[in-house]
Amino acid sequence: MNYQVTTALIIGAGSGLSASIARLFAAEGMTIALAPRQVDKLSTLSEEIGAASFICDASKPDEVNELFNQVEQKLGVPTVVVYNPSLRIPGALIELDPIEVAKSLEITAYGGFLVAQAAAKQMLKLGSGAIFFTGASASVKGYPRSAPFAMGKFALRGLAQSIARELAPQNIHVAHFVIDGVIRSATRLEPPDKPDSFLDPDAIAQTYLNILRQPRSAWTYEVELRPWVEKF
Amino acid sequence: MNYQVTTALIIGAGSGLSASIARLFAAEGMTIALAPRQVDKLSTLSEEIGAASFICDASKPDEVNELFNQVEQKLGVPTVVVYNPSLRIPGALIELDPIEVAKSLEITAYGGFLVAQAAAKQMLKLGSGAIFFTGASASVKGYPRSAPFAMGKFALRGLAQSIARELAPQNIHVAHFVIDGVIRSATRLEPPDKPDSFLDPDAIAQTYLNILRQPRSAWTYEVELRPWVEKF
Amino acid sequence: MNYQVTTALIIGAGSGLSASIARLFAAEGMTIALAPRQVDKLSTLSEEIGAASFICDASKPDEVNELFNQVEQKLGVPTVVVYNPSLRIPGALIELDPIEVAKSLEITAYGGFLVAQAAAKQMLKLGSGAIFFTGASASVKGYPRSAPFAMGKFALRGLAQSIARELAPQNIHVAHFVIDGVIRSATRLEPPDKPDSFLDPDAIAQTYLNILRQPRSAWTYEVELRPWVEKF
Amino acid sequence: MNYQVTTALIIGAGSGLSASIARLFAAEGMTIALAPRQVDKLSTLSEEIGAASFICDASKPDEVNELFNQVEQKLGVPTVVVYNPSLRIPGALIELDPIEVAKSLEITAYGGFLVAQAAAKQMLKLGSGAIFFTGASASVKGYPRSAPFAMGKFALRGLAQSIARELAPQNIHVAHFVIDGVIRSATRLEPPDKPDSFLDPDAIAQTYLNILRQPRSAWTYEVELRPWVEKF
């Protein structure tokens, strides 16, 4: 990148992917701000990497604005913001609870808008920045019995594409990551006879870092990542 | 199609496209139900084609359920439902009003979910039906300064794709129409030196009818329509 | 369409789809020219619908030019040309015969270019026309153990997209049909317990006709067709 | 990656991008084999990085097989092969020379097949490897007055997608790079008032290296790269 990344703000920091990104970015010398929905999920990680923690429901405009204000005051304008939250509500169309579906859209997509807007406001003043969105296979293919996740992830991709076109010429790097497969975690390990069939979150994080480091003459807007044996 | 279409329910019936679809479907002998947000938009059309009119804010679960109950009681289960509503909020990302953006998503995408769910509940009992969604160029390309519309139309396409995969094997034909260009209306005519450069809503309606008539051995899930001189 | 279609030229006329298109277009009053690779495949059909038959290897520039010359002399400029030929060479990448792969590309894609060029030369003089390409699921998804077909069908779609953008503003309607599934034929019928699970070629032909009839204010460039129970 | 890359074979090594990839991969300790169509283009580069040079017309089966035999004998099985050649024939559809179009397809797409096949034969014996294809914006969008390039680059993407699905589960990493924009060179520099508006080939090469290094639990099949100010 053509700017110094000093502060990384990771939204939806309760997942293993968020933890891997946080650790890797911290190891690169960045100051890390974590913003999970519930702070207790992250106390160990925060201590480990010396991160600042904030509680934020990213689907609430006021909470998002308050988060960015606090981060700016304590750590300065975040130079990269990663949006990870999503809420998957599986089920047959006719059995879905409309209230749950609305919540799924709010967390998966609308929160992405709120965070992107707050980030852009600060970054445009600074003259640079990066906004990364974590997508899924559902971002590009609507699977049956999974309408809410398809809606949310498609919407998030529409947001990313629109603001990539809008903000890139203003020196803000917007990227969308299509994560296709199961992410490995302590409680979700691939079968021993199928090595590397789940995505290693550290490997995903490395690609986030590589794309963050791209000079602006060759920016990636979209990249996909999947295990070698994943069907697609 | 392999069933008799007797009742067509058109949601978001305030637009010129809705009127063209209603007229054409009526001329084919279907009973028409119109469900605009405000009923006064349609009194003339309703009289003209003998349609039943209902008021419905399609982004409200209760109003959608009430609408489908009333249509079923008065006209029988609708055998084709067309979802047209959308709310476009243009503007630079940082200038958008979050409340307006939420409203845009509700009308453009969430209402599509509510209508599809209510339609599917009735159609699955009947064993057949068709659910059509009106998309836009924004359904497949996120334009700058138009993030909310990109989000809403991408989400609607994700919904359509997901439920096409889910419902087609249950004999319900789901189709998504990518309308790319300006639709001609009385108040929005193309320049005289650029004939046919806006989409004729009657021509669009004809394609809706053609796809409705497809036998299930060769169903279209997605089709695009644009004027001959439209850039894409 | 905004012109009278009088002559339809169908390339690769040995398939069941070609026969269905020929019959339907003839029933609509069009004069039909059939151009299979080997004429004996079609003698019965030609008689049945009073079609003119030509032999043409569409992957040979000279033969294609000669074909269009003859059609123009005998029947006038074809107002719609349909390109159906393809050659599928399945197999693992490392087992494919490079000569066969080259032939597959020539028939599936290069012939499409030759035909489109010859058609455009005549149609641009006339000021109107339509060029239709038959694609497959392989046009948009590269399946394993099917590299040559993916190459050929992707290439044909690239051609169609390029010349749709180039020729549409010159009043020539270019359309690409994504046929996703098995086409039913006398020797290839779906299982009795899976009705309509293969594409009826007459149903496909009807969609070709419907798109041919579109006025230019609302032209389809791409449409997909698949059986109701087809996975996608 | 989960294997040691020792030898990189770069096909179509006459371009600035090839030179950048060669230099970067050499700096990482790899042995480099360059295979341009004409060897004199590369004598300086070969000396500079200690690369082995081969002459190869990649659209000829015999020359491709001979190339891979020689590389294997002299340097061992190449663990990464990069396919860069393309031939762009711009022009209106009706003005194109069919012989030139055929040549364009051979160099842009058919050569990619030949190289991939030869590479796969060697890599499958070894049990690992990487095959990278350089695409363009024309890989995903068919531009007017550029039918041959659209055909060739679409076909190359179809190939890449097919064999990615086929070979990835056999531990061969296939990736397709969508390069969208003008690549900077000594003779083609961006305007001084539009800094970084052309792609820096060294920056592109860095992304090739990053993707080569991915562990197989998180492989990229497709990635796009474009300058910050490029329209898309």
Side-chain angles (χ1 to χ4, degrees), chain C residues 186-199:
Chain C
T187 57
R188 198 158 51 165
L189 293 170
E190 58 258 63
D193 61 330
K194 294 191 177 174
D196 303 319
S197 59
F198 287 3
L199 292 133

Side-chain angles (χ1 to χ4, degrees), chain B residues 17-154:
Chain B
L17 176 56
S18 293
S20 288
I21 295 171
R23 278 195 195 91
L24 182 61
F25 284 19
E28 293 289 310
M30 298 184 217
T31 302
I32 308 297
L34 301 172
R37 183 176 295 254
Q38 298 159 304
V39 82
D40 53 9
K41 282 196 178 177
L42 288 180
S43 50
T44 320
L45 175 63
S46 294
E47 276 186 41
E48 177 194 331
I49 62 173
S53 283
F54 304 84
I55 306 178
C56 180
D57 178 346
S59 64
K60 299 283 180 290
D62 291 347
E63 296 196 24
V64 170
N65 288 335
E66 177 62 16
L67 168 68
F68 275 82
N69 285 340
Q70 286 191 23
V71 169
E72 188 180 16
Q73 285 174 18
K74 294 187 183 172
L75 308 173
V77 169
T79 37
V80 56
V81 172
V82 181
Y83 190 79
N84 282 334
S86 70
L87 177 60
R88 185 171 185 172
I89 309 284
L93 173 65
I94 60 171
E95 289 164 5
L96 294 166
D97 174 359
I99 305 300
E100 289 295 304
V101 173
K103 198 176 168 188
S104 170
L105 288 177
E106 279 170 18
I107 292 175
T108 309
Y110 184 60
F113 161 76
L114 295 175
V115 165
Q117 187 182 52
K121 283 179 181 175
Q122 296 190 347
M123 291 174 180
L124 285 172
K125 283 185 198 164
L126 199 67
S128 65
I131 305 173
F132 287 2
F133 297 97
T134 299
S137 38
S139 305
V140 290
K141 182 174 174 182
Y143 291 87
R145 300 181 60 90
S146 193
F149 202 54
M151 294 177 76
K153 285 296 190 185
F154 268 64

Side-chain angles (χ1 to χ4, degrees), chain C residues 85-107:
Chain C
S86 69
L87 178 60
R88 185 171 184 173
I89 309 284
L93 172 65
I94 61 171
E95 288 163 7
L96 296 166
D97 175 359
I99 306 300
E100 289 296 302
V101 173
K103 197 175 170 189
S104 170
L105 289 177
E106 279 171 18
I107 291 174

